[in-house]
Amino acid sequence: MTSTLFDKVWRAHVVRSAPGEPDLLYCDLHLLHEVSSPQAFDGLRAAGRGVRRPDLTLALEDHAVPTTGPLLDVIEQVSVLRRNCADFGIRLHSLGDPDQGIVHVVAPQLGLTRPGTTIVCGDSHTSTHGAFGALAFGIGTTEVEHVLATQTLWQYRPRTMAVEITGTPPPDVTAKDLILAVIAEVGVGGGIGHAVEYRGSAVTALSMEGRMTLCNMSIEFGARAGMIAPDEVTFAYLAATPSPPAVPDTWRSLRTDPGATFDRTVTIDGSAVRPYVTWGTTPAQAVPITATVPHPDAFTDPLARAAAESALRYMGLTPGTPMRDVPVDTVFVGSCTNGRIEDLRAAAAVLRGRRLADGVTMLIVPGSMRVREQAEREGLAAVFEAAGAEWRNSGCSMCVGLNADRLPPGRRSASTSNRNFEGRQGPGARTHLVSPPVAAATAVTGRLTSPSDLP
């Protein structure tokens, strides 16, 4: 029987299966943070239960932590996480720890994300880890408690979907542009009920950082998970982690068998993709930066037309305006989507020898303190500061706006994060999703700009 990559990983983790019921899956790694875990620990205490496998559980302080100022100036959520981890014997990387950072950046760089494993976290962007051939997805707080208590999780088996990205993308096209092009094609609900496998020459040509960006945003078109078959690029990345694993033969067989079928297949010509930018309030409302703000009348579907009208009102944009003419006053480089060393290198390459435009604020927030340390060793931090950008400590920062890193009402950002919903970066804030190079070029001109537009 032929199987997809998803089939192989799912089947290997089923503890119990019965007709008409969800499968009970074993979880190889459980990741925690300060926002979605407090109630789960309260539930354990109320039931008199412990944590089943603290050795397979890792906690990070990331969502609401400050990225500037005293590192130990923590909020109540962080204090609660520290107390819970101490009480239940869970490994925690706190503020001030060299391995502190965003959970979906730290776990891979520590080598904890491995092919063929199941990974869960109370965060929707857990799909990031699928870049290694893992089955990884976000869970709710009640499910967090269940995994803490049993190291298992009830899940209905999703359908399968292949996203084939073919061809060779142009040099200025990044993984962020590829995934925005995919979401623009299929819509925010195009992956609902599916586990996605990214395939094709444009995918295998990506670095691990690029693959993580691709899988990270799977949830933005409704997919349950995103996966990429592991290969030599994967194994080389793992070999550079602190405790490099041996590569078993089973990892090399973690790929979709010839002849295996998917429930749905979408094909994108990667060679036709250009740098993308969002114009609206969902990641699907995106166009190439060379395009104009669309007119709602261009949408034949009444719901899409109404959504476009609402988005344009919120974003304060006029149909027909060239995207390159849209002014921006704030630029954010960071998040679990684009806060890795490769992303910072790309932004620094654009900023080197240039200055921010007058009136533009730029925040550079590394995805982990290890990334921050490496960026400083490589001289990237000096480039950012010379350009006039703010060099911050690690955290989710302006991606989610749970700390002081928020936009005032009416301000407009170019952001390398993953969501541009109304109020995502602050009440009334307007967000354009972009790649790190486009973010950096935009900071230089004060309007949405591709690096190729710079003199």
Side-chain angles (χ1 to χ4, degrees):
M1 180 181 69
T2 57
S3 301
T4 65
L5 167 62
F6 164 80
D7 293 330
K8 294 178 181 181
V9 180
W10 182 280
R11 199 161 51 231
H13 289 80
V14 173
V15 176
R16 180 186 182 276
S17 183
E21 298 181 10
D23 289 345
L24 184 66
L25 297 181
Y26 188 79
C27 301
D28 293 310
L29 179 63
H30 187 191
L31 303 171
L32 303 171
H33 59 83
E34 73 273 21
V35 174
S36 61
S37 63
Q39 300 92 334
F41 283 109
D42 288 345
L44 290 182
R45 287 191 181 93
R49 297 189 178 105
V51 174
R52 171 69 176 169
R53 292 294 301 271
D55 58 316
L56 300 181
T57 309
L58 175 69
L60 277 299
E61 298 170 1
D62 62 1
H63 273 60
V65 300
T67 61
T68 187
L71 287 179
L72 298 181
D73 181 18
V74 298
I75 60 170
E76 178 63 18
Q77 284 176 310
V78 171
S79 299
V80 169
L81 178 65
R82 292 177 181 180
R83 183 167 62 249
N84 286 331
C85 289
D87 289 350
F88 289 91
I90 292 171
R91 174 182 174 185
L92 169 66
H93 292 300
S94 298
L95 289 172
D97 185 317
D99 284 317
Q100 181 267 333
I102 303 173
V103 64
H104 307 312
V105 176
V106 172
Q109 75 182 21
L110 290 177
L112 300 178
T113 302
R114 297 188 176 186
T117 59
T118 48
I119 301 174
V120 295
C121 176
D123 182 85
S124 55
H125 294 102
T126 308
S127 55
T128 305
H129 306 268
F132 292 78
L135 174 58
F137 49 88
I139 58 177
T141 297
T142 302
E143 294 173 310
V144 169
E145 181 183 347
H146 192 280
V147 177
L148 287 171
T150 69
Q151 205 60 31
T152 63
L153 184 66
W154 294 101
Q155 286 286 294
Y156 282 102
R157 184 188 185 98
R159 297 184 295 278
T160 57
M161 178 178 178
V163 173
E164 304 260 1
I165 308 179
T166 61
T168 302
D172 60 349
V173 168
T174 70
K176 183 65 161 289
D177 302 306
L178 294 177
I179 192 61
L180 286 174
V182 169
I183 299 170
E185 175 68 22
V186 304
V188 290
I192 289 176
H194 291 80
V196 172
E197 181 182 342
Y198 297 98
R199 300 155 56 85
S201 56
V203 175
T204 57
L206 291 172
S207 65
M208 285 310 301
E209 288 88 349
R211 296 178 189 190
M212 283 187 266
T213 296
L214 209 62
C215 290
N216 172 274
M217 292 189 67
S218 302
I219 188 65
E220 306 309 332
F221 60 102
R224 193 72 183 98
M227 305 177 75
I228 297 173
D231 57 15
E232 295 305 320
V233 175
T234 317
F235 307 146
Y237 181 97
L238 289 170
T241 59
S243 299
V247 178
D249 291 339
T250 51
W251 287 4
R252 299 186 184 279
S253 65
L254 282 174
R255 54 187 61 254
T256 294
D257 297 328
T261 59
F262 294 85
D263 295 303
R264 184 184 179 193
T265 298
V266 173
T267 301
I268 301 289
D269 180 4
S271 66
V273 175
R274 297 297 180 265
Y276 260 67
V277 57
T278 59
W279 54 268
T281 54
T282 80
Q285 292 175 325
V287 293
I289 198 169
T290 53
T292 60
V293 176
H295 198 288
D297 290 345
F299 298 90
T300 56
D301 178 74
L303 292 178
R305 188 182 310 120
E309 291 171 348
S310 176
L312 291 178
R313 280 195 301 272
Y314 181 84
M315 295 296 290
L317 294 176
T318 302
T321 302
M323 294 305 302
R324 286 177 168 135
D325 289 348
V326 174
V328 167
D329 48 56
T330 305
V331 175
F332 170 61
V333 175
S335 82
C336 61
T337 309
N338 284 128
R340 297 175 180 83
I341 191 65
E342 179 180 280
D343 302 309
L344 300 192
R345 289 170 182 156
V350 175
L351 290 175
R352 187 170 282 108
R354 296 185 169 105
R355 291 281 301 174
L356 306 190
D358 291 342
V360 171
T361 298
M362 185 179 197
L363 275 65
I364 311 286
V365 184
S368 73
M369 293 305 287
R370 292 289 184 192
V371 169
R372 177 184 166 88
E373 178 188 31
Q374 184 174 354
E376 291 178 343
R377 286 200 314 270
E378 294 183 11
L380 306 183
V383 172
F384 299 140
E385 291 176 326
E390 298 180 24
W391 178 235
R392 299 293 191 91
N393 294 314
S394 181
C396 293
S397 185
M398 196 176 283
C399 173
V400 66
L402 289 179
N403 64 0
D405 301 345
R406 299 188 191 97
L407 286 179
R411 294 286 292 271
R412 188 182 300 276
S413 80
S415 177
T416 67
S417 52
N418 42 54
R419 287 181 173 162
N420 54 331
F421 306 152
E422 293 186 17
R424 174 73 175 183
Q425 295 187 310
R430 296 162 170 167
T431 304
H432 297 274
L433 301 180
V434 298
S435 69
V438 168
T442 297
V444 171
T445 65
R447 51 186 172 77
L448 293 173
T449 302
S450 174
S452 62
D453 299 327
L454 295 175

